[in-house]
Structures are given as C-alpha cells and as structure tokens.
Amino acid sequence: WSDFGFADPQIQTPNIDRLAASGTRFTQFYAGSPNKADAHWCLAAGRRPDESPNWSNSSAALLPENITLGEAMWQAGYATGLVGDWGVLGPQGPATPEDQGFDEWVGTFESIEKSPPFPASVLYHGRPIKFTKNANGQQGQLAQDFYVAEAANFMLRNFRQHPLFLQVHFSTEGVPATAAELEKYASQDWPETVKARAAALTRIDRDIGKLLQRLTDIKQLG
C-alpha cells in the first residue's frame, strides 16, 4: 500500500490516489503468507494459511468447501469476472476459476510472478487464444493490455443485466518499464530496479484509469 502516490508523493499514481481519497484505505493488514502462492490462496479462500486442510506441491489448495469471494458474489446475484493470472491450486492440480464462482475468466494458470509479460497464448473461458504477435519470442502483444481491454468489455457486456463484481490481477512483473514511464523518474536518485518498479506502477495506474473511465461511461461509478 505504501507504493502509491497517496502514501509516497514520489510515485505518480493519480487514479489510485483518487480511489484512496474517495473510498476506503486499508492500512493495517497483513498478507496471508510471505510465500506468494500461499498468499494468493489466502486471498481466494479468505483464510489464514494454517487453516488450509490440504496442500498440493507445497502450496495451499482450494477445496470444494472453500467459498471464494467470487462464489459469494455470484450467489448474491452478481455477474462475476476474473481477469489476469490465477495461479491457485486445487487438490488435483490447478483450481478452475469457473468452478470457483466466476462466470468469466481470461488469463493463465500461472502464478502472477511467473507469467510472462508477452505470452504465446492465454486462456479465455478455458480455451487458448494465441497471440500471433508474440510468436517466436516476439513482443507484440502485452498481456496486461489485453486483460484491461477484456475487463472493460466485461463491464459493458454485463452491467445492464446484473450488478458487477470484477477481480483484476495486476502485477508489476507483468508490466515492462517503457521509456515514457521511466522518464517520469529519471531525475530520482534510485537504483534502476526501483525506477522500473515505479514506472510499472504508474503504467498500472494508467490502466486503472481506463477501467474507471469505463465505469463512468456506463454510469456505474458513484
């Protein structure tokens, strides 16, 4: 939470800052585990890591009795969507988002930190979509850009029929630093890795701004 402009003015995240100013800030909390996969399970299951009765490949695994936030919202009548890398295991392998309460999902089964920024393909409703612009190691289609567009499309498709619950997984590892964002931090006396992370956060903030604009366009943003 301290990586954003409302906590550190050196980081340029105006859209996230606007959310922080008009919404609720959670500043006293902890991640479920220092292990990213287990922390992700905690978020999905709403449980502490020691509450997992089942482990798979050294990581906590979702069980049928684990009620995810997606399931709770779906049961309450929401259209539920998940965009981005899932990376949550079940007892027999990857847990499927569609079996965990999500009507729509686009992403990969990879954990967030392992998914490449320019994948050869992603899954859309369980079926692979090839990114031909990324064939043979090319870098023509950034997964993050595709996910943001799909998130905006999910809102447009569903807002007239149902209230919306959309879970979007952003990752600084999935957003390569570009010259435009790096230029914003060129004068900072920071290590290059810190500058790259700040640039990735600024680009993610830009994408959040696109989603906020879509909510404004369909009159769903109070």
Side-chain angles (χ1 to χ4, degrees):
W1 67 270
S2 63
D3 282 335
F4 304 112
F6 64 83
D8 181 356
Q10 296 179 104
I11 307 296
Q12 299 183 34
T13 54
N15 294 296
I16 294 173
D17 297 349
R18 180 157 61 97
L19 286 175
S22 61
T24 301
R25 291 171 53 187
F26 296 90
T27 59
Q28 297 184 35
F29 66 94
Y30 64 95
S33 171
N35 177 281
K36 291 184 180 181
D38 293 342
H40 204 171
W41 177 88
C42 292
L43 178 64
R47 300 287 182 179
R48 301 191 310 267
D50 62 290
E51 293 182 297
S52 172
N54 193 289
W55 294 79
S56 176
N57 297 327
S58 300
S59 292
L62 280 175
L63 298 178
E65 58 265 31
N66 293 138
I67 304 299
T68 67
L69 185 56
E71 287 177 277
M73 301 301 284
W74 183 84
Q75 291 170 3
Y78 283 70
T80 55
L82 173 67
V83 175
D85 303 315
W86 175 233
V88 179
L89 295 172
Q92 307 302 322
T96 305
E98 289 93 334
D99 292 337
Q100 303 295 333
F102 292 97
D103 294 315
E104 300 183 26
W105 171 53
V106 56
T108 74
F109 277 122
E110 296 286 351
S111 59
I112 289 176
E113 71 274 12
K114 292 181 179 179
S115 184
F118 299 94
S121 65
V122 299
L123 295 175
Y124 187 89
H125 298 298
R127 296 182 178 181
I129 295 177
K130 290 185 178 181
F131 286 166
T132 56
K133 293 181 180 179
N134 294 344
N136 302 317
Q138 298 181 85
Q139 297 185 353
Q141 174 66 68
L142 180 65
Q144 183 82 0
D145 292 343
F146 182 77
Y147 293 157
V148 170
E150 285 301 313
N153 289 337
F154 169 85
M155 298 176 192
L156 192 59
R157 282 195 301 270
N158 292 286
F159 81 97
R160 291 185 178 87
Q161 291 80 28
H162 303 280
L164 303 178
F165 174 73
L166 176 62
Q167 189 169 318
V168 183
H169 292 173
F170 291 101
S171 168
T172 54
E173 287 89 346
V175 180
T178 63
E181 281 80 29
L182 280 173
E183 181 62 28
K184 300 178 186 297
Y185 303 100
S187 63
Q188 298 290 351
D189 185 20
W190 300 344
E192 291 304 313
T193 55
V194 176
K195 290 183 180 180
R197 177 178 173 79
L201 289 168
T202 295
R203 183 163 181 172
I204 287 172
D205 181 80
R206 180 202 66 181
D207 290 338
I208 289 175
K210 292 180 180 178
L211 299 182
L212 293 175
Q213 185 59 53
R214 174 53 57 86
L215 287 171
T216 299
D217 292 342
I218 61 176
K219 297 179 172 56
Q220 298 296 303
L221 190 65

Short mmCIF file of all heavy atoms in Angstrom, two decimals, residues 67-95:
data_model
loop_
_atom_site.label_atom_id
_atom_site.label_comp_id
_atom_site.label_asym_id
_atom_site.label_seq_id
_atom_site.Cartn_x
_atom_site.Cartn_y
_atom_site.Cartn_z
N ILE A 67 -15.24 -21.31 0.15
CA ILE A 67 -16.09 -20.37 -0.58
C ILE A 67 -15.26 -19.15 -0.95
O ILE A 67 -14.81 -18.41 -0.07
CB ILE A 67 -17.32 -19.95 0.25
CG1 ILE A 67 -18.11 -21.18 0.69
CG2 ILE A 67 -18.20 -19.00 -0.54
CD1 ILE A 67 -18.65 -22.01 -0.45
N THR A 68 -15.03 -18.94 -2.23
CA THR A 68 -14.26 -17.79 -2.66
C THR A 68 -15.14 -16.54 -2.68
O THR A 68 -16.37 -16.63 -2.64
CB THR A 68 -13.68 -18.01 -4.07
OG1 THR A 68 -14.76 -18.04 -5.01
CG2 THR A 68 -12.89 -19.30 -4.15
N LEU A 69 -14.50 -15.40 -2.78
CA LEU A 69 -15.25 -14.16 -2.90
C LEU A 69 -16.11 -14.17 -4.16
O LEU A 69 -17.23 -13.67 -4.18
CB LEU A 69 -14.29 -12.97 -2.91
CG LEU A 69 -14.90 -11.57 -2.91
CD1 LEU A 69 -15.85 -11.39 -1.74
CD2 LEU A 69 -13.80 -10.51 -2.87
N GLY A 70 -15.58 -14.76 -5.23
CA GLY A 70 -16.35 -14.87 -6.47
C GLY A 70 -17.63 -15.67 -6.27
O GLY A 70 -18.70 -15.29 -6.76
N GLU A 71 -17.54 -16.78 -5.53
CA GLU A 71 -18.73 -17.59 -5.26
C GLU A 71 -19.75 -16.82 -4.43
O GLU A 71 -20.96 -16.88 -4.69
CB GLU A 71 -18.33 -18.87 -4.54
CG GLU A 71 -17.63 -19.88 -5.43
CD GLU A 71 -17.19 -21.10 -4.65
OE1 GLU A 71 -16.11 -21.05 -4.02
OE2 GLU A 71 -17.92 -22.11 -4.68
N ALA A 72 -19.27 -16.11 -3.41
CA ALA A 72 -20.18 -15.35 -2.55
C ALA A 72 -20.91 -14.28 -3.36
O ALA A 72 -22.12 -14.09 -3.19
CB ALA A 72 -19.40 -14.72 -1.40
N MET A 73 -20.21 -13.61 -4.25
CA MET A 73 -20.83 -12.57 -5.05
C MET A 73 -21.78 -13.17 -6.10
O MET A 73 -22.85 -12.62 -6.37
CB MET A 73 -19.76 -11.70 -5.72
CG MET A 73 -18.82 -11.01 -4.74
SD MET A 73 -19.65 -9.94 -3.57
CE MET A 73 -20.01 -8.52 -4.60
N TRP A 74 -21.39 -14.30 -6.68
CA TRP A 74 -22.25 -14.95 -7.67
C TRP A 74 -23.55 -15.39 -7.02
O TRP A 74 -24.64 -15.22 -7.58
CB TRP A 74 -21.52 -16.15 -8.27
CG TRP A 74 -22.28 -16.85 -9.35
CD1 TRP A 74 -22.35 -16.54 -10.67
CD2 TRP A 74 -23.13 -18.00 -9.17
NE1 TRP A 74 -23.16 -17.41 -11.34
CE2 TRP A 74 -23.66 -18.32 -10.44
CE3 TRP A 74 -23.47 -18.78 -8.07
CZ2 TRP A 74 -24.52 -19.39 -10.63
CZ3 TRP A 74 -24.33 -19.86 -8.26
CH2 TRP A 74 -24.85 -20.15 -9.53
N GLN A 75 -23.45 -15.95 -5.82
CA GLN A 75 -24.65 -16.38 -5.10
C GLN A 75 -25.55 -15.19 -4.75
O GLN A 75 -26.77 -15.36 -4.59
CB GLN A 75 -24.26 -17.15 -3.84
CG GLN A 75 -23.62 -18.51 -4.12
CD GLN A 75 -23.01 -19.15 -2.90
OE1 GLN A 75 -23.11 -18.62 -1.78
NE2 GLN A 75 -22.38 -20.29 -3.09
N ALA A 76 -24.97 -14.01 -4.62
CA ALA A 76 -25.75 -12.82 -4.31
C ALA A 76 -26.34 -12.16 -5.56
O ALA A 76 -26.98 -11.12 -5.47
CB ALA A 76 -24.88 -11.81 -3.57
N GLY A 77 -26.12 -12.76 -6.74
CA GLY A 77 -26.74 -12.26 -7.95
C GLY A 77 -25.86 -11.40 -8.83
O GLY A 77 -26.35 -10.80 -9.79
N TYR A 78 -24.56 -11.34 -8.53
CA TYR A 78 -23.65 -10.53 -9.32
C TYR A 78 -23.16 -11.30 -10.55
O TYR A 78 -23.02 -12.52 -10.51
CB TYR A 78 -22.43 -10.13 -8.49
CG TYR A 78 -22.68 -9.01 -7.51
CD1 TYR A 78 -23.48 -9.20 -6.38
CD2 TYR A 78 -22.12 -7.75 -7.70
CE1 TYR A 78 -23.72 -8.18 -5.48
CE2 TYR A 78 -22.35 -6.73 -6.80
CZ TYR A 78 -23.14 -6.94 -5.69
OH TYR A 78 -23.38 -5.93 -4.81
N ALA A 79 -22.88 -10.58 -11.63
CA ALA A 79 -22.08 -11.11 -12.73
C ALA A 79 -20.63 -11.04 -12.27
O ALA A 79 -20.16 -9.98 -11.86
CB ALA A 79 -22.29 -10.29 -13.99
N THR A 80 -19.95 -12.17 -12.32
CA THR A 80 -18.61 -12.24 -11.74
C THR A 80 -17.57 -12.49 -12.82
O THR A 80 -17.73 -13.35 -13.68
CB THR A 80 -18.52 -13.37 -10.69
OG1 THR A 80 -18.95 -14.60 -11.29
CG2 THR A 80 -19.41 -13.06 -9.49
N GLY A 81 -16.50 -11.72 -12.78
CA GLY A 81 -15.43 -11.87 -13.75
C GLY A 81 -14.07 -11.84 -13.07
O GLY A 81 -13.89 -11.18 -12.05
N LEU A 82 -13.14 -12.57 -13.65
CA LEU A 82 -11.75 -12.58 -13.18
C LEU A 82 -10.86 -12.35 -14.38
O LEU A 82 -10.98 -13.05 -15.39
CB LEU A 82 -11.41 -13.90 -12.51
CG LEU A 82 -9.95 -14.12 -12.11
CD1 LEU A 82 -9.55 -13.15 -11.00
CD2 LEU A 82 -9.70 -15.54 -11.67
N VAL A 83 -9.99 -11.38 -14.29
CA VAL A 83 -9.07 -11.06 -15.38
C VAL A 83 -7.66 -11.08 -14.84
O VAL A 83 -7.34 -10.41 -13.86
CB VAL A 83 -9.39 -9.67 -15.98
CG1 VAL A 83 -8.36 -9.31 -17.04
CG2 VAL A 83 -10.78 -9.65 -16.58
N GLY A 84 -6.80 -11.88 -15.48
CA GLY A 84 -5.40 -11.95 -15.08
C GLY A 84 -5.00 -13.35 -14.66
O GLY A 84 -5.78 -14.30 -14.74
N ASP A 85 -3.78 -13.47 -14.20
CA ASP A 85 -3.21 -14.77 -13.86
C ASP A 85 -3.80 -15.28 -12.55
O ASP A 85 -3.88 -14.56 -11.57
CB ASP A 85 -1.69 -14.65 -13.77
CG ASP A 85 -1.10 -14.12 -15.08
OD1 ASP A 85 -1.51 -14.61 -16.14
OD2 ASP A 85 -0.25 -13.23 -15.03
N TRP A 86 -4.21 -16.53 -12.55
CA TRP A 86 -4.94 -17.14 -11.44
C TRP A 86 -3.98 -17.76 -10.45
O TRP A 86 -3.87 -17.33 -9.31
CB TRP A 86 -5.92 -18.14 -12.03
CG TRP A 86 -6.73 -18.98 -11.09
CD1 TRP A 86 -6.83 -20.35 -11.11
CD2 TRP A 86 -7.60 -18.55 -10.05
NE1 TRP A 86 -7.69 -20.78 -10.14
CE2 TRP A 86 -8.18 -19.69 -9.47
CE3 TRP A 86 -7.95 -17.30 -9.53
CZ2 TRP A 86 -9.09 -19.63 -8.41
CZ3 TRP A 86 -8.85 -17.23 -8.47
CH2 TRP A 86 -9.41 -18.39 -7.93
N GLY A 87 -3.27 -18.82 -10.82
CA GLY A 87 -2.21 -19.37 -10.00
C GLY A 87 -2.65 -20.00 -8.70
O GLY A 87 -1.85 -20.09 -7.77
N VAL A 88 -3.91 -20.44 -8.59
CA VAL A 88 -4.39 -21.08 -7.37
C VAL A 88 -4.59 -22.56 -7.64
O VAL A 88 -5.22 -22.95 -8.62
CB VAL A 88 -5.70 -20.44 -6.87
CG1 VAL A 88 -6.19 -21.13 -5.60
CG2 VAL A 88 -5.49 -18.96 -6.61
N LEU A 89 -4.07 -23.39 -6.75
CA LEU A 89 -4.15 -24.83 -6.92
C LEU A 89 -5.36 -25.42 -6.24
O LEU A 89 -5.89 -24.87 -5.27
CB LEU A 89 -2.89 -25.50 -6.36
CG LEU A 89 -1.57 -25.17 -7.05
CD1 LEU A 89 -0.41 -25.75 -6.26
CD2 LEU A 89 -1.56 -25.71 -8.47
N GLY A 90 -5.80 -26.57 -6.77
CA GLY A 90 -6.75 -27.43 -6.09
C GLY A 90 -6.03 -28.71 -5.69
O GLY A 90 -4.84 -28.88 -5.97
N PRO A 91 -6.70 -29.66 -5.04
CA PRO A 91 -6.03 -30.88 -4.59
C PRO A 91 -5.43 -31.69 -5.73
O PRO A 91 -4.42 -32.37 -5.55
CB PRO A 91 -7.15 -31.66 -3.89
CG PRO A 91 -8.16 -30.64 -3.51
CD PRO A 91 -8.10 -29.59 -4.58
N GLN A 92 -6.03 -31.63 -6.93
CA GLN A 92 -5.56 -32.44 -8.05
C GLN A 92 -4.86 -31.62 -9.13
O GLN A 92 -4.65 -32.11 -10.23
CB GLN A 92 -6.75 -33.18 -8.68
CG GLN A 92 -7.58 -34.00 -7.71
CD GLN A 92 -6.76 -35.04 -7.00
OE1 GLN A 92 -5.87 -35.67 -7.58
NE2 GLN A 92 -7.04 -35.26 -5.72
N GLY A 93 -4.53 -30.38 -8.84
CA GLY A 93 -3.92 -29.52 -9.84
C GLY A 93 -4.52 -28.14 -9.78
O GLY A 93 -5.08 -27.75 -8.75
N PRO A 94 -4.44 -27.39 -10.87
CA PRO A 94 -4.98 -26.02 -10.86
C PRO A 94 -6.47 -25.99 -10.56
O PRO A 94 -7.24 -26.79 -11.10
CB PRO A 94 -4.68 -25.52 -12.28
CG PRO A 94 -3.57 -26.37 -12.77
CD PRO A 94 -3.77 -27.71 -12.14
N ALA A 95 -6.88 -25.10 -9.68
CA ALA A 95 -8.30 -24.87 -9.44
C ALA A 95 -8.83 -23.99 -10.56
O ALA A 95 -8.20 -23.01 -10.95
CB ALA A 95 -8.51 -24.19 -8.08
#
